[in-house]
């Protein structure tokens, strides 16, 4: 019996002992680590907006919530953003560095969550005991996930990065910038140097790392790096966009042969373990640069390695982008391995002697053709599927995408006489059926064909100048046009816009109109007499924009959003003997100017002044979502008075139209009758002749329709050289250099060279 009572006693005592032990454990358990307010509020701000927008708002704000001594801290812009948007309370969380560097509390976490969404109210349990206690870091990140879900924020996402370097390991690196295989990222408030040469997983938003989730691996491979220096126990090379010295714990075999080579370098725990050199190279004219491959003459389309790199290895070494590989030229050697292109080495400078033009269909409506029919003007050969076939004068050939000759994707036609060229019977231009000098290439692109004309640049210009400026114009005006056209073409070759199709430009007004009208002696002489001449600014080819007719004043390069410091030679100038700039940015001053007819070089040209009338109903066809339009005002003007921001007021909304092109398109209508200053009229234009306009609003009639009278001047965008201005100046005795230096102030005319 005693034994039974003892057993019962122990059964009662054991739970009590366990409860005491649990209480002791809980009492002794340390509080979980909290998160600093700086780190928490950075992530909080990035749940709402981007780091760039926080930075911009800080720059535009008239004050910071932090005292002057604290304002240089990295976290200020994030917390200021939250203060401004009432997401954190100044009373609860004073704007001080010591506060930001302290721990986030339960009360503060709950407050932010509730400000984000009512759905998050109560997600953080706040009691009298824990109100001022640190909110555990792991709980913050659990809450953060719910915050992003409540905001439906898909921009905060996980990313896996291989870390190339930070300011500690990269010469001339930027503070708070980490260089990775996915580009550059910011990491304000985080420690990143310990992760160099590792793979990590992070949480980020638009290039700013919010949190490091985990280190994935100490083993990384830097593929296709250019080794600039090789020593017994280290290699120096380009890893992504940065130069790194990579150490080795032991002697590197055959390191003497590694300089100036492309290689894969394997690292483990920050030390070189293996180097695989890639010495095989091929070369040839580049025919097309596509997303996943490069077509090289003699090799066809060769796929790109996923870590494909481009290195300029002549002169000053430089890492470049894929779009620096110029089609139509053989400036590169390509490093290959396993049937793929690993790197392009640009081994010689670019010299513009040929250009590749994408020929559009009739009416310049598309770059694609369903059928192409050729008529040969002389004998020659064509190359298809790496085989050569003859063609003869007078022969014709018709091709469609299904033609067996196009099974390798491209046919190249090479006439013996490049001047006689090849006629394209399935196209029409203003001069009729066009004939093209040089070579023609037909390329199959999915279910269509593209047609490319490769020819000498000077021959191209002989067919651009008369298509862009009447051949009857003065020789010096034509010579100015030739230099502009050559400079423009030079830049477009480097721009490589149509590289995926194997061309530099097309033949429409999008670039320069080519081969639309017959060339003649005058335009040919203009090209010949300016052979090789470019418009240069500080030794580089300038932006040689030109247009038809001015209103008596040009505008500057900022009309398209450029920083004037990058194109200082594109200044607004009054088109008269003394030049200079007029103050025309107010509506009153510009209205007086455009309704008058001040004398200038172009004041006798028909489009110098024009006017038209536009009804509110016609405008509502373009802007249907703001109600009945009652008023149209030019809100902002740029240099020379050109309209840059148009304000359209309706009975329901007000809308801003920005940019000269958009303004012209919005106010244009094919029903408008545009009356020029000589009394002649034009109609059927979908866009106004220019954005140098003043608008008068009439009174609405009984149908609530308002008539807007538009007084305008000039024809074209207004940047650079006015072609009719050049003609008038040439008539006045100016030579082409004087004309160009008038319109492009600070630029000079120089010889074409290796830029």
């Amino acid at each position: 019996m005693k034994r039974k009572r003892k057993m019962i006693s122990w059964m009662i005592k054991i739970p009590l002992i366990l409860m005491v032990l649990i209480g002791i454990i809980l009492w002794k358990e340390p509080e979980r680590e909290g998160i600093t307010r700086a780190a928490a509020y950075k992530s909080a701000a990035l749940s709402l907006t981007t780091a760039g927008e926080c930075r911009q708002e800080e720059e535009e704000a008239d004050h910071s919530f932090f005292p002057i001594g604290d304002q240089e801290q990295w976290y200020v812009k994030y917390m200021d953003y939250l203060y401004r948007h009432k997401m954190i309370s100044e009373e609860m969380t004073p704007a001080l560095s010591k506060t930001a560097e302290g721990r986030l509390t339960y009360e503060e976490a709950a407050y932010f969550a509730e400000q984000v969404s009512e759905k998050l109210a109560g997600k953080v349990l706040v009691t009298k005991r824990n109100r001022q206690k640190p909110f555990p870091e792991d709980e913050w990140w659990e809450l953060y996930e719910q915050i992003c879900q409540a905001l439906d924020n898909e921009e905060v996402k996980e990313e896996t990065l291989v870390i190339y370097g930070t300011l500690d390991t990269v010469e001339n690196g930027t503070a708070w910038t980490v260089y990775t295989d996915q580009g550059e990222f910011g990491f304000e408030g985080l420690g990143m140097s310990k992760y160099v040469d590792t793979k990590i997983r992070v949480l980020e938003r638009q290039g700013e790392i919010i949190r490091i989730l985990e280190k994935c691996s100490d083993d990384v491979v830097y593929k296709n790096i250019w080794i600039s220096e090789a020593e017994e126990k280290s290699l120096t090379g380009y890893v992504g966009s940065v130069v790194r010295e990579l150490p080795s714990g032991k002697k590197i075999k055959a390191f003497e042969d590694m300089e100036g080579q492309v290689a894969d370098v394997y690292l483990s725990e920050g030390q070189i373990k293996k180097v695989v050199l890639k010495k095989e190279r091929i070369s040839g004219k580049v025919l097309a640069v596509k997303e996943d491959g490069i077509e090289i003459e003699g090799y066809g389309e060769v796929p790109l390695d996923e870590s494909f790199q481009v290195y300029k290895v002549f002169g000053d070494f430089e890492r470049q982008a894929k779009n620096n590989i110029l089609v139509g030229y053989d400036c590169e050697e390509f490093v290959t391995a396993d049937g793929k292109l690993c790197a392009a080495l640009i081994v010689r400078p670019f010299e513009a002697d040929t250009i590749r033009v994408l020929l559009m269909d009739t009416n310049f409506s598309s770059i694609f053709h369903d059928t192409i029919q050729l008529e040969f003007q002389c004998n020659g050969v064509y190359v298809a599927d790496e085989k050569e076939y003859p063609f003869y004068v007078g022969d014709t050939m018709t091709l469609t995408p299904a033609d067996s000759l196009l099974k390798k994707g491209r046919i190249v036609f090479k006439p013996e006489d490049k001047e006689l060229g090849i006629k394209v019977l399935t196209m029409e231009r203003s001069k009729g059926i066009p004939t093209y000098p040089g070579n023609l290439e037909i390329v199959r692109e999915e279910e269509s064909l593209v047609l490319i004309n490769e020819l000498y640049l000077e021959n191209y210009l002989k067919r651009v100048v008369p298509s862009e400026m009447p051949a009857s114009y003065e020789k010096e005006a034509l010579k100015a046009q030739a230099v502009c056209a050559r400079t423009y073409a030079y830049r477009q070759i480097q721009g490589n816009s149509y590289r995926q199709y194997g061309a530099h430009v097309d033949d429409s007004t999008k670039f320069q109109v080519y081969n639309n009208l017959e060339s003649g002696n005058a335009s040919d002489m203009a090209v010949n007499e300016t052979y090789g001449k470019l418009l240069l600014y500080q030794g580089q080819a300038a932006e040689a924009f030109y247009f038809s007719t001015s209103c008596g004043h040009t505008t500057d390069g900022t009309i398209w959003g450029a920083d004037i410091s990058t194109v200082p030679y594109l200044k607004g100038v009054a088109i008269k003997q003394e030049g200079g700039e007029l103050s025309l940015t107010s509506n009153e001053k510009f209205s007086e100017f455009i309704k008058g007819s001040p004398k200038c070089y172009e004041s006798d040209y028909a489009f110098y002044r024009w006017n038209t009338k536009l009804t509110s109903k016609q405008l509502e066809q373009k802007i249907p979502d703001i109600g009945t339009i009652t008023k149209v005002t030019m809100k902002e003007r740029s240099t020379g008075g050109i309209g840059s921001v148009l304000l359209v007021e309706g009975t329901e909304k007000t809308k801003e139209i920005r940019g000269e092109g958009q303004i012209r398109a919005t106010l244009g209508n094919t029903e408008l009758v545009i009356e020029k200053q000589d009394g002649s009229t034009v109609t059927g234009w979908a866009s106004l002749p220019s954005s140098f306009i003043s608008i008068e609003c009439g009174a609405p009639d009984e149908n609530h329709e308002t008539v807007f009278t538009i007084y305008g001047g000039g024809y074209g965008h207004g940047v650079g050289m006015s072609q009719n201005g050049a003609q008038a100046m040439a008539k006045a005795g100016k030579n082409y250099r004087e004309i160009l230096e008038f319109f492009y102030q600070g630029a000079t005319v120089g010889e074409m060279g290796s830029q």
Side-chain angles (χ1 to χ4, degrees):
M1 194 72 175
K2 282 185 180 181
R3 193 170 174 184
K4 191 174 181 180
R5 281 200 299 270
K6 274 187 177 182
M7 189 177 292
I8 292 169
S9 175
W10 275 107
M11 287 175 69
I12 293 170
K13 289 177 180 177
I14 286 172
L16 291 172
I17 293 168
L18 287 172
M19 288 175 66
V20 171
L21 289 172
I22 290 168
I24 292 169
I25 291 168
L26 290 173
W27 180 64
K28 291 290 186 181
E29 181 185 15
E31 289 185 352
R32 283 175 291 168
E33 188 176 351
I35 184 171
T36 65
R37 294 184 181 91
Y41 286 138
K42 172 191 171 180
S43 65
L46 294 180
S47 71
L48 299 166
T49 187
T50 66
E53 288 171 350
C54 287
R55 193 174 298 112
Q56 183 177 349
E57 195 171 292
E58 187 77 352
E59 290 170 357
E60 294 173 354
D62 55 4
H63 76 285
S64 169
F65 290 82
F66 284 79
I68 291 174
D70 294 344
Q71 288 175 15
E72 296 303 313
Q73 299 297 330
W74 64 265
Y75 45 75
V76 168
K77 60 180 169 292
Y78 299 112
M79 292 183 68
D80 271 354
Y81 178 88
L82 297 174
Y83 285 128
R84 277 192 292 271
H85 293 271
K86 311 299 183 186
M87 303 303 291
I88 54 179
S89 162
E90 284 187 85
E91 184 179 350
M92 185 185 298
T93 311
L96 299 166
S97 283
K98 66 177 183 180
T99 306
E101 291 162 10
R103 301 294 171 181
L104 182 77
T105 66
Y106 275 82
E107 182 179 44
E108 290 166 322
Y111 183 86
F112 177 74
E114 288 168 9
Q115 300 306 110
V116 168
S117 172
E118 292 180 0
K119 296 178 182 178
L120 297 176
K123 289 292 183 181
V124 178
L125 182 61
V126 181
T127 67
K128 287 184 179 179
R129 292 186 61 187
N130 72 7
R131 181 181 301 277
Q132 295 302 318
K133 286 189 175 181
F135 188 62
E137 183 172 7
D138 58 344
E139 289 190 28
W140 168 254
W141 294 119
E142 289 173 11
L143 176 64
Y144 190 68
E145 187 174 345
Q146 296 176 59
I147 289 168
C148 290
Q149 289 173 356
L151 292 168
D152 197 22
N153 186 341
E154 295 181 357
E155 289 188 6
V156 173
K157 59 182 187 293
E158 292 184 12
E159 193 78 63
T160 300
L161 309 173
V162 175
I163 307 301
Y164 292 160
T166 63
L167 182 62
D168 293 337
T169 55
V170 174
E171 188 176 349
N172 300 320
T174 304
W176 294 122
T177 299
V178 61
Y179 304 89
T180 82
D181 63 332
Q182 302 299 317
E184 296 178 12
F185 286 77
F187 63 96
E188 289 176 310
L190 301 172
M192 195 62 70
S193 293
K194 63 183 178 182
Y195 295 108
V196 172
D197 298 329
T198 69
K199 181 185 288 188
I200 64 173
R201 194 164 57 88
V202 302
L203 195 67
E204 62 90 24
R205 180 173 187 176
Q206 287 195 17
E208 181 68 32
I209 296 173
I210 298 168
R211 179 191 180 197
I212 298 166
L213 298 170
E214 66 170 335
K215 182 165 76 171
C216 303
S217 177
D218 282 316
D219 296 325
V220 295
V221 183
Y222 293 148
K223 296 195 70 179
N224 303 326
I225 76 170
W226 174 264
I227 300 175
S228 57
E229 294 179 35
E231 298 181 358
E232 190 173 305
K233 288 194 174 183
S234 71
L235 299 176
T236 300
Y238 274 76
V239 181
S241 61
V242 302
V243 179
R244 281 284 314 283
E245 182 178 352
L246 304 172
S248 175
K250 58 184 180 181
K251 181 178 178 180
I252 302 169
K253 293 180 181 178
F255 71 91
E256 303 92 339
D257 300 328
M258 292 185 179
E259 285 190 7
Q261 298 291 338
V262 172
D264 291 346
V265 179
Y266 293 73
L267 289 91
S268 182
E269 297 182 349
Q271 299 285 313
I272 295 173
K273 294 302 177 186
K274 183 171 71 170
V275 180
V276 178
L277 290 181
K278 299 181 178 182
K279 292 187 174 183
E280 186 179 345
R281 298 185 184 185
I282 62 173
S283 61
K285 184 166 76 172
V286 175
L287 299 177
V289 180
K290 301 189 177 182
E291 189 66 30
D292 302 317
I294 296 175
E295 187 178 352
I296 304 168
E297 192 171 55
Y299 295 93
E301 186 174 327
V302 187
L304 301 181
D305 184 85
E306 61 181 9
S307 298
F308 177 76
Q309 302 291 332
V310 181
Y311 301 116
K312 181 177 82 71
V313 298
F314 71 90
D316 293 332
F317 182 89
E318 185 180 345
R319 181 175 178 264
Q320 296 189 336
K322 189 172 65 175
N323 60 12
N324 289 106
I325 301 171
L326 297 183
V327 296
Y329 290 87
D330 61 348
C331 302
E332 298 85 15
E333 292 180 358
F334 293 94
V335 179
T336 68
D338 301 323
K340 294 184 177 182
L341 301 180
C342 300
L345 309 179
I346 303 176
V347 296
R348 64 183 68 88
F350 155 67
E351 295 182 4
D353 56 356
T354 60
I355 189 167
R356 292 167 66 85
V357 187
L358 201 58
L359 304 178
M360 301 186 76
D361 65 1
T362 298
N363 298 324
F364 302 100
S365 58
S366 174
I367 64 171
F368 299 110
H369 303 255
D370 296 325
T371 302
I372 296 173
Q373 186 176 27
L374 308 177
E375 182 180 276
F376 304 112
Q377 307 303 295
C378 65
N379 297 340
V381 298
Y382 66 91
V383 180
D385 195 14
E386 300 178 13
K387 296 177 184 176
E388 196 172 274
Y389 306 90
F391 61 74
Y392 301 99
V393 61
D395 286 353
T396 62
M397 180 182 286
T398 303
L399 291 160
T400 66
D403 201 295
S404 60
L405 284 171
L406 284 159
K407 65 182 179 182
K408 284 292 182 72
R410 184 182 300 267
I411 304 175
V412 182
F413 296 89
K414 302 178 180 180
E416 289 177 358
D417 188 326
K418 303 297 185 188
E419 285 298 318
L420 290 176
I422 301 170
K423 184 177 285 189
V424 183
L425 300 176
T426 43
M427 286 166 47
E428 286 189 25
R429 293 293 183 256
S430 293
K431 66 180 183 179
I433 304 298
T435 298
Y436 292 93
N439 295 344
L440 284 183
E441 297 179 16
I442 297 177
V443 185
R444 187 183 65 234
E445 290 289 340
E446 296 181 356
E447 301 303 314
S448 299
L449 301 174
V450 296
L451 181 60
I452 298 162
N453 183 201
E454 182 180 57
L455 72 164
Y456 287 116
L457 178 60
E458 297 299 309
N459 283 345
Y460 165 76
L461 296 172
K462 289 176 181 177
R463 288 158 179 82
V464 165
V465 172
S467 296
E468 290 283 0
M469 177 180 276
S472 60
Y473 273 25
E474 297 289 317
K475 180 194 276 190
E476 294 303 311
L478 289 167
K479 287 165 73 172
Q481 178 67 50
V483 173
C484 285
R486 184 181 292 107
T487 307
Y488 184 86
Y490 185 91
R491 286 184 65 97
Q492 293 305 317
I493 292 170
Q494 291 180 303
N496 232 5
S497 296
Y498 281 123
R499 57 188 173 275
Q500 71 270 38
Y501 301 118
H504 303 121
V505 296
D506 65 39
D507 59 345
S508 76
T509 54
K510 183 178 177 183
F511 293 91
Q512 297 184 114
V513 179
Y514 162 65
N515 206 27
N516 191 45
L517 296 171
E518 292 289 355
S519 59
N521 289 335
S523 53
D524 284 358
M525 286 176 63
V527 173
N528 290 337
E529 291 181 19
T530 60
Y531 180 87
K533 295 291 193 298
L534 289 174
L535 187 68
L536 302 173
Y537 183 77
Q538 295 184 345
Q540 300 295 318
E543 292 275 21
F545 296 118
Y546 54 87
F547 62 100
S548 171
T549 310
S550 84
C551 68
H553 209 292
T554 64
T555 190
D556 59 38
T558 63
I559 193 66
W560 294 317
D563 185 333
I564 193 62
S565 66
T566 64
V567 284
Y569 49 87
L570 292 178
K571 295 177 181 176
V573 61
I575 314 301
K576 53 186 180 179
Q577 176 71 32
E578 58 271 28
E581 182 182 334
L582 303 178
S583 177
L584 298 171
T585 54
S586 75
N587 282 334
E588 294 76 16
K589 286 280 183 69
F590 185 78
S591 180
E592 181 184 347
F593 173 79
I594 206 70
K595 289 179 183 177
S597 189
K599 283 293 178 185
C600 75
Y601 279 118
E602 292 175 86
S603 52
D604 292 333
Y605 286 86
F607 264 118
Y608 178 64
R609 290 289 179 270
W610 52 266
N611 67 82
T612 191
K613 292 183 185 297
L614 172 71
T615 69
S616 54
K617 282 191 169 26
Q618 288 171 324
L619 186 52
E620 284 158 18
Q621 294 171 17
K622 298 286 185 74
I623 313 175
D625 56 347
I626 65 172
T628 301
I629 293 174
T630 57
K631 191 175 181 182
V632 179
T633 315
M634 197 62 71
K635 183 179 178 182
E636 291 180 24
R637 296 183 183 276
S638 190
T639 302
I642 191 169
S644 54
V645 181
L646 183 75
L647 191 67
V648 183
E649 298 178 44
T651 53
E652 297 177 16
K653 286 186 198 174
T654 297
K655 186 165 186 175
E656 286 186 355
I657 310 296
R658 293 182 170 270
E660 64 90 22
Q662 280 296 102
I663 291 170
R664 291 166 66 185
T666 300
L667 297 180
N669 190 301
T670 55
E671 298 174 359
L672 299 186
V673 177
I674 299 168
E675 182 179 0
K676 294 181 276 186
Q677 71 172 3
D678 64 357
S680 63
T681 61
V682 294
T683 191
W685 289 26
S687 184
L688 291 183
S690 84
S691 183
F692 288 93
I693 57 174
S694 176
I695 305 166
E696 284 186 358
C697 301
D701 62 18
E702 65 276 6
N703 297 317
H704 306 290
E705 186 169 11
T706 303
V707 175
F708 304 103
T709 302
I710 301 173
Y711 298 92
Y715 178 18
H717 50 66
V719 181
M721 184 182 77
S722 165
Q723 292 167 308
N724 281 329
Q727 167 69 350
M729 292 173 74
K731 280 186 172 182
K734 302 288 185 184
N735 65 43
Y736 80 97
R737 288 177 181 269
E738 292 172 320
I739 293 169
L740 292 171
E741 289 170 6
F742 176 89
F743 284 108
Y744 307 95
Q745 296 188 10
T748 58
V749 177
E751 295 293 330
M752 182 183 293
S754 302
Q755 305 300 324

